Each structure stands twice: as C-alpha cells, then as structure tokens.
Amino acid sequence: MSFDLLNIGKNGILAHQQSLQVTGQNINNTNTPSYVRERTEYFESQFGGLERVRVERMIDQFANRQLRTDISKVSYYEANLEQAEQLDTLLGDSTTNVASSVESFFNTLQDANNDPGSVTARQLVLAEADAMVTKFNDFSQYLDQQKGIINDRLTLSTDRINSISENLAELNSKIQSSNGKNSSNGDINALLNKRDEQLRELAELVQFSTVEQKNGAVAVNLKNGQPLVLEDGRFNAVAVKSNPDTERLEMVLQKEHGGGKTSEFYVPTDEVGGSVGGYLEYRDEVLMPTQKRLGQLAIRIADSMNTQNQKGMDLDNQLGRKIFDLSKTESEAIPYSDNAGTGEINVSVLEGDSKSFPSENLRITKTGNPDEYEIVPINSDGTVVSGADTITVTQASPGTVDIVELGISLDLTGTANAGDQFLAKPAESAASEISLAIRRPEDIALANPVRVKDGMDNQGAAGIEIASINTPDNYYDTTNNTLLPGAPARIEVTGQTGNAYDLEVFAKDGTSLGTITGTTDLNGILGQAGLTDPDYEVDINGEPAVGDEYFIEYNTNGFDDNSNGQSMADLQRQQLVRRSGGEEAEPTMTFNESYGRLVSDVGSRVSQNRVLRDSAEAIKSQTEALYDSQAGVNLEEEAANLIQYQQAYTASARIITTSQTIFDTLLTSLR
Amino acid sequence: MRLSTNLFFQRGLDSLQTSQNQLDKIQQMLTKQTKILSPADDPIGNSQVLALNEKIGQNEQFERNSITLENNLRREESVLSSITDAVQKARTLAVQAGNGSYDQTNRKAIASELRNIETSIFDLTNAQDESGEYIFAGYQNRTQPMEFDDATQSYQYVGDQGQRTIQLSPTLYLPANDPGSRAFSNVSKRVDFELTGGNNFIEKVEVTDRNALIADTETRIAAGDPTDFTVNFTGPDTYEIDDGVNPVVTGTVNDGKVEYNGMTLELNSDNMPTAGDSFSYSIGEPVSRNLLTQIRDLATALEESGPESKGFHESEIAFALDDFNTIIGDLTDTQASVGARLNVMDNAKLSNADIEIVNKKARADISDVDYSEAVTDLVKNETIYSAAQQVFTRISRLSLFDYL
C-alpha cells in the first residue's frame, strides 16, 4: 500500500514538476513573438492516481490560418501605400510639380507676346522652356529609379521566399521524423512554433494556403494553386523574370520534374498577394501609368509647340524651327522571346500629327497576310485596353509607315514571321528624353511669316486679313527668307455685279494663278481661286471697288507681329491630349487637365488603398486578438498557475513523506 | 475572451499611436494651411484645385498684359494728341496766309512757322517707345516709318499695316498699336504746276477742279502721253492746246480766262495774247500726300508765292484747308478708337478682378483649413492623447507578481 502511495506521490511530483516547468517556460517566453502557450493536461490512471501529463500546445488553427491571410492582406496594402504615398506627396507638392512649370512657361510666352521685339522677354521664355524640360526629365528619371527600386525589392523578396521555403521543407522533415515520438512531452513544439513563425513571415511576402498532412508536414500552395513547399520535403523556387519587357519583372515558379528538367510558370500579378503583390500592383497600376502619362504630356506639349513655331517667323526673318528636340524619344519595340523571325521595329512620334498619341503601351503583331501588322494598345499586364480598336497597317520591310490614329511612325527592318509580337512603349521614357532644340531667343517664331496690305489707292471700303497660316509647304524661299516667285502675292478685284465680285490672284512674279467669278463670299480667297492646300489663306472684309488691289508679302522685319505667338499661347487652352487608347482618337484634355488626371488617379488610388488598408488592419487586429486569446501568455494566469502547481507539488511531496511515515511506522511496529 | 499580456500592452500602445498620428496630421494641416496635405486626402478636391490654380494663374497673366496694353495705348494717345494740336496750328496759319493783304514777306514768315511744325510732326510720327521701337510702324518696328523721298519730294510711310494684339481674357484680344497707314493716311494728291513759257501773258493760275485735273493727268501718264501743254493763240479769243502727241484741242477765251481740264488761267489784261502768241505749262506727276507732305507743299507754295507763282498759292491754301479738315478727322477717329479700346480694357479688368475673387474663394473653400475647427480638433486630440497616456501608465503598473 505504501508502495502504491509512493508511486502515486512520485507520479504526482513528476507531473507537477512538469507543470511548473511549463509555467516557467510560458513566463519566460511571454515576449517571444512566435511562442505558443503550453499547458499541461492531466490524465487519470486506470489504476488510480495520475498516469501521465501531456503538454498541449494551445493554438487555434483556424485563427492561425486566418491570421496568415490577414497578414498577407495588410502587407499587400502596406507595401503598395509605402511606395504610392511617396509618389502622391511628390505630385501634390506645389513647388516641384510639372503643372506649375508649364504654367510659368506659358506666362513668359504671354509676356513675350506683349513685346515681341524684345530679346530679353524671349530669353525668359527660353529659360522657362529649359526649366520645364528639366522638370519633365527629372521627374521621369525619378520614376525610372522607382522602377529599379521595385525590381530590387522583388528580387530580394523572391530570395527571401526561397530561403523560407527551404527552411520550411527542412522543418517539415524534422517534424515528420520526430512526430509521435516526442509529442507528449512537447519537444516538437519548438519546431512547430518555428514553422509557424516562418509561415507568418512568408505570409507577409505572398499569399498562400496550407494543407496539413497526416504525417505532420504542411504543404504550402500559392494562391493560384501552384505548390511552393511539397509534403515530401521538396520545395519549388521562385524567381523574377521578364517577358518581354526587360524592365517589368514578374514572379515565376520553377518546378522540378524528374530527370533534372524544370518548367516555369508565371504567377499572375493579381494572384500574388502579400508585399510582393503590393509592389507589383503599385508598379503596374500606379507607377508605370503615371510615367507613361507624363511621357504622353511631354510629347504633346513639345510637338504642338514645335508645329506652331514652324508656322511662324523668328527674329532673324527665318521660318521658325522646332523648339523641342524629340529625336531621342524614338524607342525600339521589344520582340517577345518566342519570336521566330528577325524583324525589328523602331517606334517614333509622328511629329506634326501626334494628336492621337496614347499613353498606353502597344502590342504589334505580324499577321499571316504579307506585310501586314496589327497594333493595339495594351495594359501593363498585357491585356488589351478595354474599348481599344485594333489598327491594321500594311508596309513592306524595310520601310516606314505613319499611323495617324496613334500618332506614331513605325520603322521596319528585318523579316518578321507570322505570329511574331513586339511590345512598343513609345510614351514610357519620352519625358526623360525630350530636350530643348534651340538656344537663341531669336529662334522663337512669334510673328506670322507673311503680312497683308491694302492697296494705298484703293477706292473701296474693304480690308484684307489673314484667315489662317498653315504648315509651310511650298510657298517659301527659305534660303533668301522670302516668298517664292510662284507664291500668291496680289489679289485684284476685276469686276463687280451687284454684290458679286470677280477677283484674280497673281503670283509674286506676276503670273496669274487663278480667277474667281461672281462670288458673294469674300472669305478664303486663295481656296476659291483654285489653289489647293495654300500655305496661307486670306479674307477680304467689307465692300471693295473694282480696281482695288490687295497684297501679300513676306513679313520681313515685322518683329512687332505677335500673331503666331498668340496662337502658341492659346495652345494652353486647347484640347490637345488624348484621354485613353481605349477611347476616341480625338484629344479631349488640355495640358493641365491631363496632368490633373495623372495626379488625381494616383491620389484616388492611394485614398482607396488607405481605406482598404485600415479595414484590413482592423480585421487583422481582431483575428490577432482571437488567436492570442488561445495562444498568448497571460502573466496573471501564469502567476496563479505557479501558486497552484506549487501547492500541488507540496501536496504530492507530502504524500511521499506520508508514505515514508507509514513505512517507518510499519517497520517500527514489526520490531 | 481571454486576454494575453502581449495583447494588453499592444492595445495600449495602439491607442497611443493612433492619437499621435492624429495630432501629427492636425499639426501639418495647421502649418501648411491646407486641408489637402497630399492629393490622396481629397482626390476630387485636389483636381479641382489644380484646375482653379490654372485659371487664377491665367487671370494674373491677363492683368499683367493689361498693364502693358494701357501703357502702349496711353503713349499713343498722347502722341496723337500732340500731332492733332500741331495740325490745328497749321490750319490756323493756313487761314492767316489766305489774308489778301499779306505780301510775300508775310507769307514767307508763315511758311517758316509751317516748316517748324513740319519738323515737329515728323518727329512725332517717328515716335519710339522705351526700347527704341517705333510705335507707328506696324510690324516693322525697327524701321523708321516716315521717310522723306527725294525723288517725289514727299513723305512716304514705309511701314506696314500690322497691328499687334494683346490678350485680356480667353476670348478678348485688343490691338495695342495703330499703324501709320491708318493714322496718317494719304488724303489727297498733289497738283504740281509749272509755267514754262509765256509767263507775261498770264495774270493768275487757279485750279478749279482738282479731281478732274488729277484724273486726266494720271490717265495721260498711264498711257505714256506727255503732260506738257502749249497753248497757241490762233486769234485774240481762240487758242489751240497742243501736247505734242495728240490732236490739238481748240477752245475759246471765256471772260479773259483759259479753262482746260480743271485749270483756269486768267490772262494778263495788260498783255493779252494775240494770234501767234503762246504760253506753255506742265503738270507734274500727282503724288499721294499725307499730312506731312501737305504741310510741306503748303510751306513751299507760300515761300514761292511771288509774282512768278501767279497766285497759285491761293489754290494750294484752299487744298490745304480742305485736307487739314480730313486729316484732323482721321486723327480724331484714331484717338477715339484708342479711347474705346481703353474703355473695353477697363471693363475687362473689372470682370477679371471679379472672376479672380470667385475662383480664389472656390479654391479656399476646397482646400483651406478652417482654423477654429482645426484648433478645436487639436485640443480634443491632445486631451485624448493625454488620457491614453495616463491610462496606460496606471494599468501597466498592475501585476500579480507584485503580490507574490
């Protein structure tokens, strides 16, 4: 009997000892992040007394899994916002933003218009143009750097994912081999905690789901089902690769098959989740579109100003030239890696006709028909922009084809096979590559290239006015800065019947260029006389008399003329930027509206993501609380337990003492 | 629900951090004086602010433009006013010169005054602005607009008809200058008469129909016919006018005068021509005249108004008075147009000022901080923060281990 008592006491002491150990361990590990509270469970023996004590790991698996999902979500938005808020603040800063630079440029242009002959005023315009170009360059280069930073982060993240996967596989095999043997005394709990810690760290990076195996291992699958860590201890690596855009990295899963063969699977960017997914979404939905829209704006400002300047005359009496240099914005369309042909395509801005230039990337596909190509605007992830039209062009290679519906020009070389595809990014680096083409203030063409004059001896009450100036084509002698002999220079009223007039148009050298008979409309005289696409057009206002003459001459020394300058200043108020490659080809936004949309799109996305992040955080907090309610250590509880187990231990020790006393009594009584 | 110690502390920390973030946000709003710290705070509002900024910026530019316009127009106004005064003075002198009791010496004195006026008006028409650019030259403002042409002995406007416009609103452009072709246009043509022979037969020369004379002379010049005429008397009352090319034109003396093509030549009653006598005259090319040429010709005529001029100066004075009226009319018209433009500009300035106020208010409504609201928020959050701190301190001190 005493032997039984001794046994009981011994079991009790051992059990309570263990409980005290577990309590001590809990207290020590209060602040260990991945520690899960342990508790001893007492099992009664069939034969009376205590049989054994089992250490239980107090974890709520449901909450644990939920917590990982929530962590992925929060990391996703945090990563996205960390980058996007920087961009958002930069866009909102009134001193660094592009819109204020564009405004200053147009203001100095207006000042120059008020005194067109002043070289000082023109010098200021040039300075502001330079500042504006620099602003575009700097901002676009900053965005380039951001792209590089994101790519670096992606590479680091995939390295981290791989090392975690490796750790998980190792932990899995350790847990497997020791499972069942030591589960009762909790030796594998440390391994389980470590595995959970790694899983939680992985959850910050990507979103995944786990499948518990019977042997204690845990298989990890990415959200789209691809296996990352397998149950038998192997794992698949992830990497970043690009196709075809070398700057746009995506996550790929590299699967090993038997025999050393590997196959690669691209993980769709919207199914990655975690901080990697957050960076990817930021890059594709915020960073790249912003840079492309900036490029589109730069090109439209430069091309519109260039075209207008070339319609005017500068302070050297010469026809205007290009103010901005767009030659470096030419880019090579990247061939997809599975292209079979040798075709190469260079894409450049269709200068003078770029009003439909979109901000999106373009995919060019060689069709099965000879020399035929299809071009369509696409999003960052390769899907076609919704509502976009596919443009088909036919051009033999080598050769150049102008596509007015997209404001670009393609230069083809080599031979492309049917089905070959190319990725063109005409807008992406455009803002980094524009520069100023003129250095002299005299080169700004504020005046019209021609001026008109009423004959001094005209008897009628009419005056001639310039109706429009078109892009110079064939009326100007650019070597001598004057009109060509064949350009229209004189209009004579040859007859009149009632309010219908007969007019004749003469060239500078006196030859007759055309006649108008019996017209009541004195607008567009040159067109009415049969001249096609005249470089300038004139109207006669009023009632001329027979014999009246009107003259057109080159605007030599006409430096006080600011007509072309006024047209240039008016560009600020015209709709010159196309809204989207998926919408109509006609531009519908002014420069400021285009920049405003760029800013507000970033701003509204940040605002939206802030709300989503806040709600994800709230959910995560709740889940954390739920998880912690099981797994967290409560010092008060442990303190109480300490007392409880101490007393139990003392009581059990007393049992032993009692059994000893009984034994001693028995021994004493036998003497 | 069971609380772990970690969660306990975490919650306390969380509430402290939330309060801190709020305080930071309010501080930023107060120092930057805007509710919109970054576009994400109010994306729609921010894009409205961007659009308003553009409009306000443009408005400020239009104000600057209107200052330039006003300077230009007022300068032009003052020059035109001086020119008008000078022409009025010339007109008075012309009236004086018509006084029958004046002799050549008197008329020469008037001519010399007219010469002075001619010089001063010449300077005024070539007026320059502060950068040395000519204000009446049209577009070619580096070239002097009024020049004296030796060949025709007249002043020519060599500028063009260009007008530079200044923008005062998105749709309002006003001309900032008037070219000399408008302000000092040609008003008449010169009659250049010279008696080349037989002076002693002529008492007085008078141009009775200027237009007919000029029209005939121009037709002759266009056809290549001569403009020298010899009047041969075939009898005491009949004569033949011969230009050397065309058939002669016969005529009879009418009341002691020979009339032809708007010219009336009064014969010398002391020396009437008879058959066989002749006199000759020539008409020079009619040159278009503006106000400077007109004054110059008048002065020349008055200087040469001795007996040999045969009283031609009286015709010239009549032309001059006629033309001065037209010239003064033109100048006043131009001044009126300048004044009208200044009025339009004033109206535009007023409406621009109104628009500026409206836009600035709209922008302020969207983005400016309401100080009373912000300061109240600040105090409230300070209280919350301070309370959270106190609570945390008190609760964190409690632990069962203190009692073991």
Side-chain angles (χ1 to χ4, degrees):
Chain A
M1 194 172 85
S2 68
F3 178 69
D4 280 341
L5 215 50
L6 198 59
N7 228 10
I8 291 172
K10 182 191 81 180
N11 280 346
I13 281 185
L14 285 175
H16 298 311
Q17 210 174 40
Q18 183 135 30
S19 294
L20 281 167
Q21 269 181 347
V22 164
T23 309
Q25 194 176 342
N26 279 350
I27 292 174
N28 281 346
N29 283 315
T30 314
N31 292 328
T32 312
S34 61
Y35 183 74
V36 172
R37 176 173 70 114
E38 290 170 8
R39 201 183 62 177
T40 48
E41 200 178 319
Y42 287 81
F43 289 96
E44 198 185 341
S45 160
Q46 276 180 305
F47 310 106
L50 188 60
E51 166 154 3
R52 60 193 168 93
V53 146
R54 198 181 71 176
V55 175
E56 217 182 314
R57 187 165 164 262
M58 301 300 297
I59 187 169
D60 178 349
Q61 283 297 352
F62 165 74
N64 193 21
R65 254 173 281 149
Q66 187 62 39
L67 187 60
R68 285 199 286 260
T69 312
D70 291 343
I71 287 176
S72 288
K73 266 227 162 61
V74 170
S75 292
Y76 177 84
Y77 291 120
E78 286 277 0
N80 189 308
L81 280 174
E82 168 199 315
Q83 299 296 315
E85 275 178 342
Q86 277 183 44
L87 184 60
D88 179 56
T89 310
L90 203 59
L91 285 173
D93 188 327
S94 58
T95 49
T96 62
N97 74 28
V98 165
S100 63
S101 193
V102 173
E103 187 183 313
S104 301
F105 171 66
F106 278 105
N107 281 350
T108 49
L109 192 55
Q110 290 251 0
D111 285 339
N113 279 342
N114 292 342
D115 192 1
S118 154
V119 175
T120 322
R122 286 154 175 263
Q123 193 67 53
L124 287 172
V125 175
L126 220 50
E128 280 299 332
D130 201 20
M132 184 174 75
V133 163
T134 310
K135 210 39 92 69
F136 272 110
N137 291 155
D138 285 350
F139 197 47
S140 188
Q141 277 161 15
Y142 167 79
L143 294 173
D144 273 339
Q145 283 171 2
Q146 293 302 102
K147 271 196 291 201
I149 290 177
I150 300 264
N151 284 346
D152 286 345
R153 280 186 200 253
L154 286 175
T155 316
L156 284 174
S157 299
T158 47
D159 285 346
R160 188 91 198 94
I161 292 174
N162 284 340
S163 94
I164 292 178
S165 301
E166 194 176 342
N167 288 347
L168 281 172
E170 210 181 298
L171 284 165
N172 264 346
S173 56
K174 277 197 198 154
I175 290 172
Q176 250 180 291
S177 57
S178 64
N179 201 17
K181 277 192 272 179
N182 301 325
S183 62
S184 57
N185 64 359
D187 281 346
I188 61 163
N189 282 354
L191 289 173
L192 290 173
N193 286 346
K194 193 137 182 25
R195 187 175 64 184
D196 272 342
E197 186 189 355
Q198 291 285 286
L199 283 171
R200 223 165 286 153
E201 201 178 324
L202 187 62
E204 284 178 16
L205 293 167
V206 286
Q207 196 167 347
F208 58 85
S209 59
T210 52
V211 180
E212 300 258 345
Q213 307 297 313
K214 283 207 268 281
N215 54 9
V218 152
V220 175
N221 292 337
L222 293 178
K223 184 169 171 198
N224 64 343
Q226 294 285 353
L228 189 60
V229 178
L230 301 141
E231 58 268 21
D232 55 6
R234 290 181 299 134
F235 67 96
N236 292 326
V238 294
V240 279
K241 278 190 112 173
S242 63
N243 184 33
D245 186 347
T246 46
E247 290 183 320
R248 181 175 174 266
L249 299 177
E250 290 184 79
M251 202 162 93
V252 294
L253 191 71
Q254 292 167 325
K255 255 179 159 167
E256 269 182 33
H257 304 281
K261 285 195 289 180
T262 47
S263 51
E264 287 183 347
F265 294 90
Y266 277 92
V267 183
T269 44
D270 54 355
E271 292 186 1
V272 174
S275 65
V276 172
Y279 289 131
L280 288 174
E281 200 235 359
Y282 164 73
R283 181 194 62 192
D284 286 349
E285 302 297 325
V286 176
L287 182 60
M288 309 268 258
T290 300
Q291 194 185 28
K292 287 186 260 207
R293 284 181 188 165
L294 191 72
Q296 180 197 31
L297 180 61
I299 286 196
R300 285 304 297 139
I301 291 180
D303 193 41
S304 310
M305 290 296 296
N306 282 355
T307 310
Q308 194 60 50
N309 203 51
Q310 289 176 303
K311 286 188 188 169
M313 186 188 82
D314 64 21
L315 269 189
D316 299 322
N317 282 321
Q318 294 171 326
L319 287 181
R321 65 182 71 179
K322 293 188 204 168
I323 299 181
F324 299 100
D325 183 5
L326 290 174
S327 59
K328 295 213 197 64
T329 61
E330 181 177 335
S331 62
E332 192 188 322
I334 307 170
Y336 281 62
S337 57
D338 51 3
N339 280 3
T342 59
E344 281 178 14
I345 306 182
N346 275 347
V347 183
S348 54
V349 175
L350 186 58
E351 294 191 53
D353 220 343
S354 70
K355 66 177 173 17
S356 303
F357 187 81
S359 66
E360 291 88 352
N361 290 345
L362 303 166
R363 182 163 56 217
I364 307 170
T365 314
K366 174 86 186 54
T367 65
N369 299 334
D371 295 334
E372 192 184 74
Y373 298 84
E374 278 181 350
I375 304 120
V376 69
I378 56 172
N379 294 320
S380 293
D381 57 5
T383 54
V384 172
V385 173
S386 68
D389 294 327
T390 311
I391 316 263
T392 318
V393 294
T394 313
Q395 173 64 43
S397 167
T400 318
V401 58
D402 292 342
I403 308 177
V404 177
E405 301 93 323
L406 292 172
I408 56 172
S409 173
L410 299 179
D411 185 24
L412 309 164
T413 46
T415 321
N417 287 9
D420 279 358
Q421 293 183 318
F422 301 83
L423 177 69
K425 303 187 287 176
E428 195 166 294
S429 2
S432 321
E433 301 294 349
I434 64 166
S435 57
L436 212 52
I438 57 176
R439 292 267 157 247
R440 300 171 61 241
E442 291 87 346
D443 289 336
I444 303 175
L446 296 176
N448 273 344
V450 290
R451 56 172 178 250
V452 291
K453 216 157 61 156
D454 303 329
M456 292 293 242
D457 300 324
N458 281 359
Q459 303 294 318
I464 183 173
E465 265 176 23
I466 295 182
S468 65
I469 304 272
N470 303 320
T471 310
D473 196 7
N474 48 9
Y475 284 1
Y476 300 96
D477 176 357
T478 48
T479 333
N480 299 321
N481 293 336
T482 182
L483 290 177
L484 287 171
R490 183 164 70 90
I491 300 171
E492 191 178 328
V493 179
T494 48
Q496 178 185 6
T497 356
N499 60 349
Y501 297 90
D502 304 329
L503 303 112
E504 191 169 354
V505 176
F506 295 92
K508 186 169 152 191
D509 59 8
T511 46
S512 171
L513 293 173
T515 50
I516 312 173
T517 345
T519 179
T520 48
D521 175 16
L522 291 173
N523 293 329
I525 299 287
L526 298 181
Q528 283 193 50
L531 293 163
T532 44
D533 278 339
D535 286 355
Y536 40 83
E537 184 55 277
V538 293
D539 296 339
I540 294 179
N541 297 323
E543 289 168 8
V546 177
D548 280 356
E549 291 182 315
Y550 302 93
F551 301 91
I552 307 167
E553 60 182 13
Y554 195 78
N555 198 8
T556 313
N557 292 346
F559 304 132
D560 205 35
D561 183 6
N562 65 2
S563 316
N564 199 44
Q566 296 282 21
S567 301
M568 290 207 297
D570 202 44
L571 292 175
Q572 194 186 18
R573 273 175 287 278
Q574 289 179 25
Q575 295 177 332
L576 293 172
V577 183
R578 181 176 178 177
R579 182 171 286 274
S580 157
E583 293 180 30
E584 52 181 306
E586 281 301 306
T588 48
M589 302 194 291
T590 66
F591 296 142
N592 203 45
E593 280 173 8
S594 165
Y595 184 74
R597 184 181 73 139
L598 185 162
V599 171
S600 68
D601 272 4
V602 173
S604 53
R605 197 167 267 273
V606 168
S607 165
Q608 188 186 358
N609 278 355
R610 275 185 188 160
V611 171
L612 290 170
R613 189 251 336 249
D614 287 345
S615 69
E617 284 251 23
I619 294 176
K620 176 179 150 207
S621 281
Q622 278 200 19
T623 313
E624 246 177 350
L626 187 63
Y627 172 79
D628 245 12
S629 71
Q630 276 278 36
V633 173
N634 185 323
L635 285 176
E636 319 297 337
E637 189 185 0
E638 301 306 318
N641 282 347
L642 213 51
I643 299 173
Q644 183 188 349
Y645 293 134
Q646 204 178 347
Q647 286 181 340
Y649 183 85
T650 315
S652 294
R654 176 77 31 205
I655 296 178
I656 292 181
T657 329
T658 310
S659 96
Q660 189 185 18
T661 313
I662 294 177
F663 189 63
D664 280 344
T665 313
L666 197 59
L667 283 182
T668 323
S669 69
L670 287 177
R671 220 173 295 134
Chain B
M1 191 179 77
R2 188 177 160 275
L3 271 182
S4 73
T5 310
N6 269 340
L7 196 62
F8 197 65
F9 278 91
Q10 190 60 44
R11 284 198 169 158
L13 194 59
D14 279 347
S15 68
L16 279 173
Q17 280 184 333
T18 311
S19 293
Q20 226 176 20
N21 279 341
Q22 264 309 100
L23 278 172
D24 178 54
K25 188 156 176 233
I26 295 176
Q27 182 192 35
Q28 290 223 47
M29 278 182 6
L30 282 172
T31 41
K32 289 193 183 165
Q33 299 182 26
T34 171
K35 280 190 282 206
I36 305 180
L37 294 169
S38 78
D41 292 334
D42 185 1
I44 297 177
N46 188 58
S47 65
Q48 284 175 332
V49 166
L50 273 178
L52 285 170
N53 279 344
E54 190 192 28
K55 292 211 185 70
I56 293 173
Q58 281 183 8
N59 232 9
E60 286 169 0
Q61 182 60 45
F62 292 147
E63 257 186 65
R64 285 195 285 274
N65 290 357
S66 72
I67 293 175
T68 312
L69 179 64
E70 194 172 358
N71 286 344
N72 284 353
L73 290 179
R74 294 224 183 271
R75 177 173 38 232
E76 183 184 333
E77 218 180 14
S78 106
V79 173
L80 283 176
S81 176
S82 306
I83 295 178
T84 313
D85 286 345
V87 175
Q88 297 274 23
K89 189 124 170 283
R91 190 177 180 285
T92 317
L93 287 170
V95 169
Q96 270 188 322
N99 189 335
S101 63
Y102 278 24
D103 65 0
Q104 189 179 5
T105 324
N106 301 119
R107 286 196 284 269
K108 269 189 169 165
I110 292 181
S112 129
E113 263 198 79
L114 282 171
R115 291 279 180 208
N116 286 340
I117 292 178
E118 179 192 332
T119 317
S120 84
I121 293 183
F122 182 63
D123 282 343
L124 286 169
T125 56
N126 286 330
Q128 296 170 300
D129 65 14
E130 69 274 2
S131 358
E133 293 169 346
Y134 296 99
I135 63 177
F136 290 115
Y139 288 148
Q140 301 168 64
N141 59 357
R142 291 190 189 168
T143 321
Q144 186 175 311
M146 282 304 225
E147 276 181 2
F148 184 70
D149 179 21
D150 270 336
T152 54
Q153 291 289 299
S154 67
Y155 290 92
Q156 298 291 328
Y157 174 70
V158 295
D160 57 55
Q161 299 175 352
Q163 274 184 312
R164 163 170 49 102
T165 53
I166 287 188
Q167 188 176 16
L168 294 182
S169 89
T171 47
L172 180 62
Y173 295 82
L174 286 180
N177 68 323
D178 292 285
S181 57
R182 185 169 309 179
F184 329 119
S185 55
N186 289 335
V187 288
S188 69
K189 292 203 165 121
R190 172 196 292 155
V191 172
D192 190 4
F193 173 85
E194 193 182 345
L195 209 51
T196 45
N199 305 17
N200 43 347
F201 293 120
I202 306 294
E203 170 82 35
K204 184 169 161 190
V205 171
E206 203 182 322
V207 178
T208 38
D209 189 345
R210 173 155 65 148
N211 292 335
L213 178 60
I214 290 175
D216 178 65
T217 315
E218 285 184 328
T219 319
R220 282 172 175 277
I221 292 179
D225 287 342
T227 49
D228 311 307
F229 303 94
T230 316
V231 180
N232 296 314
F233 281 85
T234 47
D237 281 341
T238 55
Y239 54 82
E240 282 179 350
I241 304 186
D242 183 10
D243 65 3
V245 166
N246 294 325
V248 297
V249 173
T250 49
T252 38
V253 174
N254 181 7
D255 192 23
K257 301 185 185 135
V258 173
E259 289 165 352
Y260 179 61
N261 262 346
M263 296 270 337
T264 303
L265 299 110
E266 198 179 305
L267 299 168
N268 191 347
S269 47
D270 299 332
N271 190 6
M272 293 291 280
T274 51
D277 288 332
S278 68
F279 63 85
S280 58
Y281 67 90
S282 84
I283 310 279
E285 184 178 353
V287 169
S288 291
R289 295 197 292 196
N290 53 36
L291 71 94
L292 278 167
T293 318
Q294 176 67 75
I295 294 177
R296 186 180 190 285
D297 285 351
L298 180 60
T300 314
L302 289 176
E303 279 164 359
E304 297 167 355
S305 60
E308 316 79 48
S309 76
K310 304 296 178 192
F312 183 70
H313 65 274
E314 287 176 19
S315 304
E316 193 63 70
I317 291 175
F319 299 155
L321 286 174
D322 228 1
D323 291 344
F324 283 154
N325 286 340
T326 317
I327 288 168
I328 291 175
D330 279 351
L331 285 169
T332 326
D333 273 349
T334 313
Q335 276 185 295
S337 137
V338 170
R341 269 177 258 158
L342 282 168
N343 281 346
V344 173
M345 181 195 78
D346 281 337
N347 281 340
K349 270 166 95 166
L350 284 174
S351 83
N352 275 350
D354 284 343
I355 292 176
E356 185 181 342
I357 291 178
V358 167
N359 282 343
K360 280 191 170 164
K361 178 162 191 312
R363 184 174 66 176
D365 281 345
I366 297 173
S367 75
D368 275 6
V369 173
D370 177 353
Y371 276 93
S372 36
E373 192 183 319
V375 171
T376 316
D377 262 350
L378 180 65
V379 173
K380 181 178 84 177
N381 277 302
E382 262 183 307
T383 319
I384 294 176
Y385 187 50
S386 154
Q389 281 178 324
Q390 288 194 22
V391 167
F392 182 75
T393 328
R394 295 180 80 117
I395 296 184
S396 63
R397 268 190 254 139
L398 300 171
S399 168
L400 193 54
F401 281 98
D402 292 341
Y403 298 99
L404 284 179

